[in-house]
Amino acid sequence: MLGLLRRKGFLLPLGVRPRDEALGDAQRHFYGNLGTLLKRNVVAEWWYSIVTSRKTIAYCISEGNPLKVVLDNIDAISDTEEKDMNSGVNIAHAGTLSHQDDVVRSVFGELRVTGLLSLSLHVFCPESRQKTLAQEWERVRLQWWKKYSHRNKSHFLVEKTDDRTRLIQHTCSLGKYSVEKLTQKDNKEMRSLLSERPLSNKLDGLGCISMETSADQALLTFLTDSYEETSRFDTSGQPVDQQILFLHPRLSPYQAVILPVGDDQSNAHKLAGKLELDLRQAGVSVTSDVDGDVGSRFIRQDETGTPYAILVDETTVRKGLTRFRSRDTTQSELVELDDVKAMLRHYHKRR
């Protein structure tokens, strides 16, 4: 699996630094093109779930201590209507906590990543509402991990460590590890964390629920979860052993790949280039693959997790029909060229 991710440019090794007492011998990695695109999509889906899709009051920061943000905005928060306050005031944080190496734990062991991208949500609410809201958010966060999972949904479970701490665990055949931490802080804990600053009486009775993960942890988790080794039939009907990434369509680096058939100067190639530009200008993330026979290109794109392939050949030129292939089923259907954009938008729609 790690060999595939390196070969395709999801993860690229940087070698091993001298042993670090805090980080051990974990190998350093950075992200190639596909890894960077996948990470961007992970952050976008987390942000949509946490901020964009919700009516609750939200403050968004890219750096700094969320508790101090609350203190800086305590007057505005304390003036929040009671019905809104009972739902919590949310502070979403998506940013690099440090520019040092951090360890991400996964089925590959410990990987060192420079500049870990933290994703955290801190919900401030009356202490009387804290337990209820914590249970609600626990369900929301568990469902988020399951939504983008390919395998059995029970591979994501919540583990209770104490009365105020929960860990969302991912389990697979290669092991179990934590992907997100949920903690409750009462008013006393909040005040102790801000002890170096003069505190307002408006903090009285306020508690906090924190949910913390990282884009890097999510990226590795979803890659692990999507990976399968299977046997499929190629275009000539022969069985072929394959490595496939069944990435969720909203996480895949590309929504679709365009496969032109014919030489570089053929009408099919020209039409494929026009289609690619049209889709990109419409906000659809697509790429093209022109090397080798169609069967080898299908295999190559399955390995990178691209959910849909669009075949452009002489039939497309003459009749305006293209073969639209699904990665998950390997089935193709004839689709009007003018309908491709709408189909991709439909399949890519958030549900």
Side-chain angles (χ1 to χ4, degrees):
M1 188 194 311
L2 190 54
L4 172 68
L5 299 182
R6 287 173 174 170
R7 190 171 74 251
K8 293 298 180 182
F10 285 96
L11 298 175
L12 301 177
L14 282 175
V16 180
R17 281 183 173 175
R19 180 174 176 82
D20 184 295
E21 289 300 320
L23 302 179
D25 294 319
Q27 189 171 25
R28 296 181 68 235
H29 282 75
F30 70 101
Y31 300 111
N33 179 51
L34 294 184
T36 301
L37 293 174
L38 174 59
K39 185 174 179 178
R40 176 201 65 182
N41 293 343
V42 166
V43 174
E45 292 308 296
W46 179 86
W47 192 262
Y48 177 82
S49 170
I50 291 297
V51 179
T52 311
S53 64
R54 302 195 171 275
K55 294 181 179 179
T56 49
I57 297 171
Y59 293 78
C60 306
I61 60 173
S62 59
E63 59 182 47
N65 184 339
L67 289 174
K68 292 179 180 178
V69 174
V70 167
L71 201 60
D72 292 339
N73 294 279
I74 192 63
D75 289 332
I77 292 173
S78 62
D79 290 337
T80 303
E81 292 186 19
E82 183 178 353
K83 63 180 178 63
D84 293 325
M85 196 65 201
N86 283 337
S87 298
V89 173
N90 302 345
I91 294 186
H93 173 271
T96 303
L97 294 181
S98 75
H99 296 287
Q100 305 300 315
D101 283 0
D102 290 288
V103 165
V104 180
R105 290 172 175 81
S106 71
V107 296
F108 310 122
E110 295 183 338
L111 300 182
R112 292 167 67 170
V113 178
T114 301
L116 197 73
L117 182 60
S118 168
L119 301 176
S120 62
L121 176 70
H122 307 270
V123 179
F124 297 88
C125 62
E127 285 184 290
S128 59
R129 288 278 298 158
Q130 193 174 36
K131 184 176 181 180
T132 300
L133 286 179
Q135 291 172 342
E136 292 177 5
W137 274 106
E138 181 182 307
R139 288 192 293 270
V140 168
R141 294 306 303 143
L142 181 61
Q143 185 57 40
W144 186 83
W145 288 97
K146 289 183 174 183
K147 175 181 178 180
Y148 298 102
S149 166
H150 165 64
R151 298 181 186 277
N152 189 321
K153 307 299 184 186
S154 64
H155 286 187
F156 288 96
L157 298 170
V158 174
E159 183 176 287
K160 178 179 178 180
T161 58
D162 57 50
D163 288 342
R164 290 187 168 270
T165 307
R166 303 288 188 273
L167 297 176
I168 297 180
Q169 301 271 12
H170 178 239
T171 305
C172 66
S173 60
L174 298 176
K176 180 175 79 170
Y177 52 95
S178 300
V179 295
E180 184 163 356
K181 183 178 181 180
L182 297 84
T183 55
Q184 298 179 50
K185 299 180 183 71
D186 59 21
N187 190 258
K188 183 178 179 180
E189 290 176 282
M190 283 180 54
R191 288 178 174 276
S192 68
L193 290 170
L194 295 168
S195 58
E196 75 279 9
R197 296 183 59 171
L199 300 181
S200 167
N201 289 333
K202 294 179 180 180
L203 279 175
D204 289 346
L206 209 59
C208 176
I209 307 159
S210 296
M211 291 147 272
E212 299 166 291
T213 184
S214 72
D216 309 84
Q217 181 69 73
L219 178 150
L220 289 174
T221 299
F222 291 129
L223 281 174
T224 302
D225 183 76
S226 70
Y227 178 83
E228 280 194 13
E229 295 177 1
T230 188
S231 180
R232 286 182 162 182
F233 293 100
D234 62 19
T235 52
S236 64
Q238 298 300 311
V240 177
D241 291 334
Q242 276 191 251
Q243 295 172 295
I244 303 175
L245 294 178
F246 288 97
L247 289 167
H248 190 283
R250 292 205 64 85
L251 298 184
S252 299
Y254 295 106
Q255 295 172 237
V257 59
I258 298 173
L259 309 178
V261 178
D263 62 61
D264 293 346
Q265 301 303 314
S266 67
N267 289 330
H269 265 261
K270 295 175 182 177
L271 185 58
K274 183 178 181 299
L275 175 62
E276 181 178 0
L277 180 61
D278 183 43
L279 290 174
R280 284 178 178 272
Q281 291 178 342
V284 181
S285 177
V286 294
T287 186
S288 60
D289 189 344
V290 300
D291 296 325
D293 61 80
V294 171
S296 64
R297 285 186 270 175
F298 283 157
I299 292 173
R300 203 156 49 226
Q301 294 302 318
D302 288 347
E303 289 177 339
T304 60
T306 309
Y308 304 107
I310 303 161
L311 194 68
V312 179
D313 56 16
E314 286 305 313
T315 302
T316 315
V317 175
R318 289 185 287 104
K319 298 182 179 180
L321 295 174
T322 180
R323 280 175 58 196
F324 192 94
R325 176 189 181 267
S326 165
R327 172 201 64 198
D328 295 351
T329 66
T330 73
Q331 299 299 309
S332 299
E333 58 179 312
L334 284 176
V335 175
E336 292 280 351
L337 194 61
D338 292 341
D339 294 337
V340 167
K341 189 189 306 181
M343 284 188 68
L344 287 173
R345 283 175 170 168
H346 171 74
Y347 287 134
H348 197 62
K349 186 178 179 180
R350 285 190 177 96
R351 291 175 173 82

